[in-house]
Amino acid sequence: MQCVTNKGAGAGLRERKKQATRAALSEAAVRLAAEHGAENVTVEAISNAAGVSPRTFFNYFDSHDDVFVMMDPDVGERVRRAIRDAPAELSPLDAVREAMAAELAEVELRHEVWSLRAKVFQKSPHLLARGLGLHMAEERDLARTIARRIDPDGPGGPDVHGGTGGSGSGTRSDSAAPAGADPCEDADIELYPRLLAAVAGTAARVAIEHWYAHSPPLTFPEIFRDVFTHLSAGLPQPPAQTDDRPSDGRTTES
């Protein structure tokens, strides 16, 4: 048992180092692109700013554009794994909320970089289109995972991307399907998993935008959970704001 524990600790350290290198490359790329434009930033410049070699760059990203679009290519698999491993008593909505909240905590820690990235996308439509394609692929994978959680023996098919995020290469997972992937390939997935996956993505985007725009006296994870509280309640119109209510419309109920 001691040997297993030590091995796990070593693997954890190696993974943290990989994540730190990937984050350094992404941050360097975004900052350079915000100043000079993504099209004018080379792999060599990004690698130099991050303190690594161009060869190391390609250990983490398949192409120049990926460094802007795929800041953490394993996040989708981690979310899906958390949903698969969530306690059986959790509803699908709650399982998705907890899985995404654990990953989105990074947004608050790296808010400046994420804000700069959004500005880079605005100036580089091809990056925005590529990011949208990857988002759609991740959404379909999430819908399939939700479907399998609801009915493991149903027609949703296997969770085909399970486990790919753990590969040692650090490059993109198989879930990074091309933007033109045919949605009809997942026609066997029922309406509810598709809707929940789409709503979850929208919930994350709305929470991020609200936090950036208003800088309320709440942490980002709190706002994200409030979004899901509204969803769980069926989206009724909240009560009128009073002096003893926070400005973002949160209720005081636990």
Side-chain angles (χ1 to χ4, degrees):
M1 179 64 71
Q2 184 66 35
C3 292
V4 173
T5 302
N6 288 339
K7 182 178 180 181
L13 177 60
R14 288 192 297 273
E15 183 59 30
R16 286 195 296 273
K17 288 182 177 179
K18 289 180 180 179
Q19 291 176 355
T21 300
R22 182 187 294 124
L25 285 165
S26 294
E27 181 171 345
V30 167
R31 291 188 182 280
L32 288 170
E35 182 176 357
H36 305 290
E39 296 78 5
N40 301 317
V41 176
T42 65
V43 168
E44 289 74 14
I46 295 169
S47 302
N48 184 62
V52 301
S53 69
R55 181 176 180 178
T56 298
F57 176 97
F58 288 108
N59 287 336
Y60 291 88
F61 302 98
D62 289 345
S63 71
H64 167 274
D65 287 355
D66 281 350
V67 72
F68 303 104
V69 177
M70 302 179 68
M71 295 181 69
D72 187 349
D74 298 334
V75 63
E77 168 54 25
R78 290 197 299 269
V79 168
R80 294 191 296 273
R81 185 186 305 121
I83 293 172
R84 291 193 296 268
D85 296 342
E89 61 269 18
L90 283 185
S91 68
L93 182 66
D94 289 340
V96 171
R97 179 197 64 205
E98 294 304 312
M100 294 184 68
E103 291 295 331
L104 288 170
E106 183 192 9
V107 172
E108 189 162 36
L109 298 177
R110 302 180 67 194
H111 67 278
E112 182 188 4
V113 176
W114 283 97
S115 180
L116 287 175
R117 179 176 181 255
K119 295 177 180 178
V120 169
F121 274 26
Q122 290 174 359
K123 297 179 180 179
S124 301
H126 75 284
L127 293 179
L128 181 61
R130 181 172 172 81
L132 179 60
L134 293 173
H135 171 75
M136 292 174 63
E138 288 285 359
E139 184 179 295
R140 288 193 295 271
D141 288 345
L142 178 58
R144 186 171 292 280
T145 297
I146 295 169
R148 297 301 292 170
R149 177 178 172 86
I150 295 173
D151 185 4
D153 299 320
D159 190 3
V160 293
H161 298 303
T164 60
S167 63
S169 67
T171 57
R172 66 175 179 83
S173 70
D174 290 341
S175 63
D182 185 1
C184 294
E185 292 179 359
D186 293 325
D188 53 347
I189 302 177
E190 296 295 334
L191 177 62
Y192 178 81
R194 286 177 176 273
L195 179 61
L196 178 52
V199 167
T202 299
R205 177 179 59 79
V206 169
I208 292 171
E209 290 176 351
H210 181 81
W211 183 63
Y212 278 144
H214 299 282
S215 299
L218 297 171
T219 66
F220 172 72
E222 287 177 319
I223 294 175
F224 179 75
R225 291 179 183 279
D226 278 351
V227 171
F228 269 80
T229 297
H230 286 297
L231 293 176
S232 298
L235 288 180
Q237 181 175 337
Q241 182 175 321
T242 61
D243 291 341
D244 60 348
R245 290 174 55 81
S247 60
D248 72 331
R250 293 180 69 198
T251 64
T252 56
E253 298 176 358
S254 58

PDB file of all heavy atoms in Angstrom, residues 168-202:
ATOM      1  N   GLY A 168      -0.569  10.820 -21.274  1.00  0.00           N
ATOM      2  CA  GLY A 168       0.588  11.563 -20.836  1.00  0.00           C
ATOM      3  C   GLY A 168       1.067  12.607 -21.801  1.00  0.00           C
ATOM      4  O   GLY A 168       1.980  13.367 -21.497  1.00  0.00           O
ATOM      5  N   SER A 169       0.531  12.696 -22.976  1.00  0.00           N
ATOM      6  CA  SER A 169       1.082  13.602 -23.970  1.00  0.00           C
ATOM      7  C   SER A 169       0.831  15.057 -23.642  1.00  0.00           C
ATOM      8  O   SER A 169       1.588  15.928 -24.010  1.00  0.00           O
ATOM      9  CB  SER A 169       0.478  13.287 -25.348  1.00  0.00           C
ATOM     10  OG  SER A 169      -0.900  13.589 -25.357  1.00  0.00           O
ATOM     11  N   GLY A 170      -0.283  15.329 -22.940  1.00  0.00           N
ATOM     12  CA  GLY A 170      -0.620  16.705 -22.654  1.00  0.00           C
ATOM     13  C   GLY A 170      -1.273  17.417 -23.816  1.00  0.00           C
ATOM     14  O   GLY A 170      -1.629  18.584 -23.726  1.00  0.00           O
ATOM     15  N   THR A 171      -1.429  16.775 -24.953  1.00  0.00           N
ATOM     16  CA  THR A 171      -2.081  17.392 -26.091  1.00  0.00           C
ATOM     17  C   THR A 171      -3.571  17.183 -25.993  1.00  0.00           C
ATOM     18  O   THR A 171      -4.088  16.640 -25.032  1.00  0.00           O
ATOM     19  CB  THR A 171      -1.546  16.810 -27.402  1.00  0.00           C
ATOM     20  OG1 THR A 171      -1.733  15.392 -27.402  1.00  0.00           O
ATOM     21  CG2 THR A 171      -0.066  17.110 -27.552  1.00  0.00           C
ATOM     22  N   ARG A 172      -4.279  17.595 -27.036  1.00  0.00           N
ATOM     23  CA  ARG A 172      -5.731  17.566 -26.985  1.00  0.00           C
ATOM     24  C   ARG A 172      -6.257  16.146 -26.824  1.00  0.00           C
ATOM     25  O   ARG A 172      -5.638  15.191 -27.247  1.00  0.00           O
ATOM     26  CB  ARG A 172      -6.311  18.182 -28.270  1.00  0.00           C
ATOM     27  CG  ARG A 172      -6.018  17.365 -29.515  1.00  0.00           C
ATOM     28  CD  ARG A 172      -6.715  17.966 -30.726  1.00  0.00           C
ATOM     29  NE  ARG A 172      -6.417  17.218 -31.925  1.00  0.00           N
ATOM     30  CZ  ARG A 172      -7.036  16.125 -32.300  1.00  0.00           C
ATOM     31  NH1 ARG A 172      -7.989  15.632 -31.549  1.00  0.00           N
ATOM     32  NH2 ARG A 172      -6.718  15.510 -33.421  1.00  0.00           N
ATOM     33  N   SER A 173      -7.465  16.032 -26.224  1.00  0.00           N
ATOM     34  CA  SER A 173      -8.123  14.743 -26.102  1.00  0.00           C
ATOM     35  C   SER A 173      -8.950  14.483 -27.347  1.00  0.00           C
ATOM     36  O   SER A 173      -9.150  15.347 -28.185  1.00  0.00           O
ATOM     37  CB  SER A 173      -9.043  14.743 -24.865  1.00  0.00           C
ATOM     38  OG  SER A 173     -10.144  15.585 -25.090  1.00  0.00           O
ATOM     39  N   ASP A 174      -9.481  13.274 -27.461  1.00  0.00           N
ATOM     40  CA  ASP A 174     -10.288  12.930 -28.626  1.00  0.00           C
ATOM     41  C   ASP A 174     -11.579  13.730 -28.686  1.00  0.00           C
ATOM     42  O   ASP A 174     -12.245  13.759 -29.706  1.00  0.00           O
ATOM     43  CB  ASP A 174     -10.639  11.434 -28.601  1.00  0.00           C
ATOM     44  CG  ASP A 174      -9.408  10.577 -28.864  1.00  0.00           C
ATOM     45  OD1 ASP A 174      -8.419  11.117 -29.401  1.00  0.00           O
ATOM     46  OD2 ASP A 174      -9.443   9.380 -28.534  1.00  0.00           O
ATOM     47  N   SER A 175     -11.937  14.359 -27.547  1.00  0.00           N
ATOM     48  CA  SER A 175     -13.183  15.121 -27.544  1.00  0.00           C
ATOM     49  C   SER A 175     -13.086  16.383 -28.377  1.00  0.00           C
ATOM     50  O   SER A 175     -14.085  17.024 -28.652  1.00  0.00           O
ATOM     51  CB  SER A 175     -13.571  15.497 -26.110  1.00  0.00           C
ATOM     52  OG  SER A 175     -12.600  16.345 -25.547  1.00  0.00           O
ATOM     53  N   ALA A 176     -11.884  16.758 -28.777  1.00  0.00           N
ATOM     54  CA  ALA A 176     -11.719  17.973 -29.580  1.00  0.00           C
ATOM     55  C   ALA A 176     -12.066  17.681 -31.031  1.00  0.00           C
ATOM     56  O   ALA A 176     -11.241  17.675 -31.923  1.00  0.00           O
ATOM     57  CB  ALA A 176     -10.294  18.495 -29.478  1.00  0.00           C
ATOM     58  N   ALA A 177     -13.329  17.414 -31.273  1.00  0.00           N
ATOM     59  CA  ALA A 177     -13.798  17.076 -32.607  1.00  0.00           C
ATOM     60  C   ALA A 177     -13.802  18.321 -33.467  1.00  0.00           C
ATOM     61  O   ALA A 177     -13.878  19.441 -32.972  1.00  0.00           O
ATOM     62  CB  ALA A 177     -15.207  16.484 -32.534  1.00  0.00           C
ATOM     63  N   PRO A 178     -13.709  18.167 -34.774  1.00  0.00           N
ATOM     64  CA  PRO A 178     -13.731  19.335 -35.643  1.00  0.00           C
ATOM     65  C   PRO A 178     -15.051  20.066 -35.564  1.00  0.00           C
ATOM     66  O   PRO A 178     -16.084  19.493 -35.225  1.00  0.00           O
ATOM     67  CB  PRO A 178     -13.500  18.743 -37.037  1.00  0.00           C
ATOM     68  CG  PRO A 178     -13.908  17.311 -36.924  1.00  0.00           C
ATOM     69  CD  PRO A 178     -13.574  16.912 -35.533  1.00  0.00           C
ATOM     70  N   ALA A 179     -14.993  21.363 -35.895  1.00  0.00           N
ATOM     71  CA  ALA A 179     -16.185  22.191 -35.764  1.00  0.00           C
ATOM     72  C   ALA A 179     -17.332  21.672 -36.615  1.00  0.00           C
ATOM     73  O   ALA A 179     -18.487  21.892 -36.310  1.00  0.00           O
ATOM     74  CB  ALA A 179     -15.853  23.634 -36.152  1.00  0.00           C
ATOM     75  N   GLY A 180     -17.016  20.957 -37.691  1.00  0.00           N
ATOM     76  CA  GLY A 180     -18.071  20.491 -38.581  1.00  0.00           C
ATOM     77  C   GLY A 180     -18.599  19.120 -38.247  1.00  0.00           C
ATOM     78  O   GLY A 180     -19.258  18.498 -39.078  1.00  0.00           O
ATOM     79  N   ALA A 181     -18.303  18.608 -37.044  1.00  0.00           N
ATOM     80  CA  ALA A 181     -18.768  17.281 -36.664  1.00  0.00           C
ATOM     81  C   ALA A 181     -20.288  17.202 -36.783  1.00  0.00           C
ATOM     82  O   ALA A 181     -21.007  18.146 -36.448  1.00  0.00           O
ATOM     83  CB  ALA A 181     -18.344  16.968 -35.233  1.00  0.00           C
ATOM     84  N   ASP A 182     -20.772  16.086 -37.255  1.00  0.00           N
ATOM     85  CA  ASP A 182     -22.194  15.918 -37.536  1.00  0.00           C
ATOM     86  C   ASP A 182     -22.964  15.642 -36.254  1.00  0.00           C
ATOM     87  O   ASP A 182     -22.770  14.597 -35.621  1.00  0.00           O
ATOM     88  CB  ASP A 182     -22.382  14.752 -38.512  1.00  0.00           C
ATOM     89  CG  ASP A 182     -23.830  14.583 -38.945  1.00  0.00           C
ATOM     90  OD1 ASP A 182     -24.672  15.388 -38.497  1.00  0.00           O
ATOM     91  OD2 ASP A 182     -24.107  13.651 -39.719  1.00  0.00           O
ATOM     92  N   PRO A 183     -23.850  16.556 -35.812  1.00  0.00           N
ATOM     93  CA  PRO A 183     -24.614  16.327 -34.591  1.00  0.00           C
ATOM     94  C   PRO A 183     -25.556  15.146 -34.706  1.00  0.00           C
ATOM     95  O   PRO A 183     -25.997  14.596 -33.701  1.00  0.00           O
ATOM     96  CB  PRO A 183     -25.374  17.653 -34.394  1.00  0.00           C
ATOM     97  CG  PRO A 183     -25.449  18.258 -35.758  1.00  0.00           C
ATOM     98  CD  PRO A 183     -24.178  17.834 -36.451  1.00  0.00           C
ATOM     99  N   CYS A 184     -25.871  14.721 -35.937  1.00  0.00           N
ATOM    100  CA  CYS A 184     -26.768  13.581 -36.107  1.00  0.00           C
ATOM    101  C   CYS A 184     -26.127  12.287 -35.643  1.00  0.00           C
ATOM    102  O   CYS A 184     -26.809  11.276 -35.446  1.00  0.00           O
ATOM    103  CB  CYS A 184     -27.194  13.462 -37.561  1.00  0.00           C
ATOM    104  SG  CYS A 184     -28.233  14.846 -38.128  1.00  0.00           S
ATOM    105  N   GLU A 185     -24.795  12.296 -35.473  1.00  0.00           N
ATOM    106  CA  GLU A 185     -24.122  11.105 -34.972  1.00  0.00           C
ATOM    107  C   GLU A 185     -24.592  10.759 -33.567  1.00  0.00           C
ATOM    108  O   GLU A 185     -24.501   9.624 -33.136  1.00  0.00           O
ATOM    109  CB  GLU A 185     -22.610  11.323 -34.973  1.00  0.00           C
ATOM    110  CG  GLU A 185     -22.000  11.427 -36.366  1.00  0.00           C
ATOM    111  CD  GLU A 185     -20.511  11.661 -36.306  1.00  0.00           C
ATOM    112  OE1 GLU A 185     -19.981  11.762 -35.174  1.00  0.00           O
ATOM    113  OE2 GLU A 185     -19.868  11.747 -37.361  1.00  0.00           O
ATOM    114  N   ASP A 186     -25.102  11.753 -32.832  1.00  0.00           N
ATOM    115  CA  ASP A 186     -25.570  11.542 -31.469  1.00  0.00           C
ATOM    116  C   ASP A 186     -27.097  11.604 -31.399  1.00  0.00           C
ATOM    117  O   ASP A 186     -27.661  11.997 -30.383  1.00  0.00           O
ATOM    118  CB  ASP A 186     -24.954  12.582 -30.532  1.00  0.00           C
ATOM    119  CG  ASP A 186     -23.454  12.399 -30.398  1.00  0.00           C
ATOM    120  OD1 ASP A 186     -23.001  11.246 -30.422  1.00  0.00           O
ATOM    121  OD2 ASP A 186     -22.737  13.406 -30.281  1.00  0.00           O
ATOM    122  N   ALA A 187     -27.758  11.203 -32.461  1.00  0.00           N
ATOM    123  CA  ALA A 187     -29.214  11.261 -32.499  1.00  0.00           C
ATOM    124  C   ALA A 187     -29.851  10.322 -31.481  1.00  0.00           C
ATOM    125  O   ALA A 187     -31.025  10.461 -31.155  1.00  0.00           O
ATOM    126  CB  ALA A 187     -29.714  10.926 -33.909  1.00  0.00           C
ATOM    127  N   ASP A 188     -29.064   9.347 -30.966  1.00  0.00           N
ATOM    128  CA  ASP A 188     -29.618   8.410 -29.998  1.00  0.00           C
ATOM    129  C   ASP A 188     -29.691   9.006 -28.594  1.00  0.00           C
ATOM    130  O   ASP A 188     -30.267   8.402 -27.693  1.00  0.00           O
ATOM    131  CB  ASP A 188     -28.789   7.120 -29.969  1.00  0.00           C
ATOM    132  CG  ASP A 188     -27.308   7.385 -29.746  1.00  0.00           C
ATOM    133  OD1 ASP A 188     -26.883   8.548 -29.864  1.00  0.00           O
ATOM    134  OD2 ASP A 188     -26.576   6.419 -29.454  1.00  0.00           O
ATOM    135  N   ILE A 189     -29.113  10.168 -28.373  1.00  0.00           N
ATOM    136  CA  ILE A 189     -29.165  10.796 -27.056  1.00  0.00           C
ATOM    137  C   ILE A 189     -30.505  11.498 -26.889  1.00  0.00           C
ATOM    138  O   ILE A 189     -30.938  12.254 -27.765  1.00  0.00           O
ATOM    139  CB  ILE A 189     -28.015  11.802 -26.877  1.00  0.00           C
ATOM    140  CG1 ILE A 189     -26.664  11.103 -27.056  1.00  0.00           C
ATOM    141  CG2 ILE A 189     -28.081  12.456 -25.505  1.00  0.00           C
ATOM    142  CD1 ILE A 189     -25.482  12.038 -26.956  1.00  0.00           C
ATOM    143  N   GLU A 190     -31.142  11.274 -25.761  1.00  0.00           N
ATOM    144  CA  GLU A 190     -32.470  11.824 -25.524  1.00  0.00           C
ATOM    145  C   GLU A 190     -32.424  13.337 -25.311  1.00  0.00           C
ATOM    146  O   GLU A 190     -31.355  13.937 -25.147  1.00  0.00           O
ATOM    147  CB  GLU A 190     -33.112  11.146 -24.300  1.00  0.00           C
ATOM    148  CG  GLU A 190     -33.373   9.658 -24.476  1.00  0.00           C
ATOM    149  CD  GLU A 190     -34.412   9.379 -25.555  1.00  0.00           C
ATOM    150  OE1 GLU A 190     -35.252  10.272 -25.800  1.00  0.00           O
ATOM    151  OE2 GLU A 190     -34.384   8.285 -26.135  1.00  0.00           O
ATOM    152  N   LEU A 191     -33.598  13.951 -25.280  1.00  0.00           N
ATOM    153  CA  LEU A 191     -33.715  15.404 -25.195  1.00  0.00           C
ATOM    154  C   LEU A 191     -33.142  15.946 -23.889  1.00  0.00           C
ATOM    155  O   LEU A 191     -32.405  16.946 -23.891  1.00  0.00           O
ATOM    156  CB  LEU A 191     -35.189  15.800 -25.331  1.00  0.00           C
ATOM    157  CG  LEU A 191     -35.496  17.297 -25.189  1.00  0.00           C
ATOM    158  CD1 LEU A 191     -34.801  18.092 -26.286  1.00  0.00           C
ATOM    159  CD2 LEU A 191     -37.006  17.531 -25.229  1.00  0.00           C
ATOM    160  N   TYR A 192     -33.475  15.318 -22.754  1.00  0.00           N
ATOM    161  CA  TYR A 192     -33.061  15.878 -21.458  1.00  0.00           C
ATOM    162  C   TYR A 192     -31.542  15.978 -21.321  1.00  0.00           C
ATOM    163  O   TYR A 192     -31.031  17.040 -20.927  1.00  0.00           O
ATOM    164  CB  TYR A 192     -33.649  15.065 -20.304  1.00  0.00           C
ATOM    165  CG  TYR A 192     -33.217  15.578 -18.946  1.00  0.00           C
ATOM    166  CD1 TYR A 192     -33.860  16.673 -18.361  1.00  0.00           C
ATOM    167  CD2 TYR A 192     -32.155  14.991 -18.260  1.00  0.00           C
ATOM    168  CE1 TYR A 192     -33.455  17.162 -17.122  1.00  0.00           C
ATOM    169  CE2 TYR A 192     -31.745  15.474 -17.024  1.00  0.00           C
ATOM    170  CZ  TYR A 192     -32.400  16.560 -16.459  1.00  0.00           C
ATOM    171  OH  TYR A 192     -31.987  17.048 -15.253  1.00  0.00           O
ATOM    172  N   PRO A 193     -30.768  14.936 -21.617  1.00  0.00           N
ATOM    173  CA  PRO A 193     -29.310  15.082 -21.525  1.00  0.00           C
ATOM    174  C   PRO A 193     -28.766  16.163 -22.433  1.00  0.00           C
ATOM    175  O   PRO A 193     -27.850  16.914 -22.054  1.00  0.00           O
ATOM    176  CB  PRO A 193     -28.792  13.698 -21.927  1.00  0.00           C
ATOM    177  CG  PRO A 193     -29.909  12.770 -21.634  1.00  0.00           C
ATOM    178  CD  PRO A 193     -31.156  13.553 -21.931  1.00  0.00           C
ATOM    179  N   ARG A 194     -29.317  16.281 -23.632  1.00  0.00           N
ATOM    180  CA  ARG A 194     -28.870  17.330 -24.546  1.00  0.00           C
ATOM    181  C   ARG A 194     -29.163  18.713 -23.955  1.00  0.00           C
ATOM    182  O   ARG A 194     -28.318  19.617 -23.988  1.00  0.00           O
ATOM    183  CB  ARG A 194     -29.586  17.201 -25.890  1.00  0.00           C
ATOM    184  CG  ARG A 194     -29.106  16.055 -26.768  1.00  0.00           C
ATOM    185  CD  ARG A 194     -29.947  16.008 -28.041  1.00  0.00           C
ATOM    186  NE  ARG A 194     -29.486  14.990 -28.962  1.00  0.00           N
ATOM    187  CZ  ARG A 194     -28.539  15.174 -29.877  1.00  0.00           C
ATOM    188  NH1 ARG A 194     -27.950  16.361 -29.969  1.00  0.00           N
ATOM    189  NH2 ARG A 194     -28.179  14.210 -30.683  1.00  0.00           N
ATOM    190  N   LEU A 195     -30.370  18.871 -23.434  1.00  0.00           N
ATOM    191  CA  LEU A 195     -30.765  20.161 -22.883  1.00  0.00           C
ATOM    192  C   LEU A 195     -29.926  20.512 -21.660  1.00  0.00           C
ATOM    193  O   LEU A 195     -29.454  21.654 -21.532  1.00  0.00           O
ATOM    194  CB  LEU A 195     -32.252  20.133 -22.511  1.00  0.00           C
ATOM    195  CG  LEU A 195     -32.818  21.421 -21.896  1.00  0.00           C
ATOM    196  CD1 LEU A 195     -32.681  22.583 -22.869  1.00  0.00           C
ATOM    197  CD2 LEU A 195     -34.284  21.215 -21.499  1.00  0.00           C
ATOM    198  N   LEU A 196     -29.718  19.562 -20.763  1.00  0.00           N
ATOM    199  CA  LEU A 196     -28.941  19.825 -19.554  1.00  0.00           C
ATOM    200  C   LEU A 196     -27.514  20.208 -19.910  1.00  0.00           C
ATOM    201  O   LEU A 196     -26.936  21.131 -19.317  1.00  0.00           O
ATOM    202  CB  LEU A 196     -28.971  18.611 -18.627  1.00  0.00           C
ATOM    203  CG  LEU A 196     -28.148  18.738 -17.334  1.00  0.00           C
ATOM    204  CD1 LEU A 196     -28.497  20.023 -16.587  1.00  0.00           C
ATOM    205  CD2 LEU A 196     -28.378  17.517 -16.441  1.00  0.00           C
ATOM    206  N   ALA A 197     -26.921  19.512 -20.864  1.00  0.00           N
ATOM    207  CA  ALA A 197     -25.549  19.832 -21.267  1.00  0.00           C
ATOM    208  C   ALA A 197     -25.475  21.251 -21.838  1.00  0.00           C
ATOM    209  O   ALA A 197     -24.553  22.013 -21.529  1.00  0.00           O
ATOM    210  CB  ALA A 197     -25.053  18.826 -22.297  1.00  0.00           C
ATOM    211  N   ALA A 198     -26.442  21.609 -22.668  1.00  0.00           N
ATOM    212  CA  ALA A 198     -26.452  22.947 -23.268  1.00  0.00           C
ATOM    213  C   ALA A 198     -26.699  24.025 -22.220  1.00  0.00           C
ATOM    214  O   ALA A 198     -26.054  25.080 -22.216  1.00  0.00           O
ATOM    215  CB  ALA A 198     -27.517  23.017 -24.361  1.00  0.00           C
ATOM    216  N   VAL A 199     -27.626  23.761 -21.306  1.00  0.00           N
ATOM    217  CA  VAL A 199     -27.952  24.730 -20.263  1.00  0.00           C
ATOM    218  C   VAL A 199     -26.761  24.915 -19.319  1.00  0.00           C
ATOM    219  O   VAL A 199     -26.473  26.032 -18.875  1.00  0.00           O
ATOM    220  CB  VAL A 199     -29.208  24.282 -19.487  1.00  0.00           C
ATOM    221  CG1 VAL A 199     -29.380  25.093 -18.222  1.00  0.00           C
ATOM    222  CG2 VAL A 199     -30.446  24.426 -20.365  1.00  0.00           C
ATOM    223  N   ALA A 200     -26.058  23.842 -19.032  1.00  0.00           N
ATOM    224  CA  ALA A 200     -24.898  23.936 -18.141  1.00  0.00           C
ATOM    225  C   ALA A 200     -23.827  24.841 -18.735  1.00  0.00           C
ATOM    226  O   ALA A 200     -23.227  25.660 -18.030  1.00  0.00           O
ATOM    227  CB  ALA A 200     -24.332  22.548 -17.869  1.00  0.00           C
ATOM    228  N   GLY A 201     -23.594  24.695 -20.031  1.00  0.00           N
ATOM    229  CA  GLY A 201     -22.622  25.559 -20.688  1.00  0.00           C
ATOM    230  C   GLY A 201     -23.053  27.019 -20.664  1.00  0.00           C
ATOM    231  O   GLY A 201     -22.242  27.919 -20.422  1.00  0.00           O
ATOM    232  N   THR A 202     -24.341  27.247 -20.905  1.00  0.00           N
ATOM    233  CA  THR A 202     -24.865  28.610 -20.855  1.00  0.00           C
ATOM    234  C   THR A 202     -24.779  29.174 -19.440  1.00  0.00           C
ATOM    235  O   THR A 202     -24.460  30.357 -19.248  1.00  0.00           O
ATOM    236  CB  THR A 202     -26.324  28.639 -21.332  1.00  0.00           C
ATOM    237  OG1 THR A 202     -26.385  28.172 -22.685  1.00  0.00           O
ATOM    238  CG2 THR A 202     -26.903  30.037 -21.259  1.00  0.00           C
TER     239      THR A 202
END
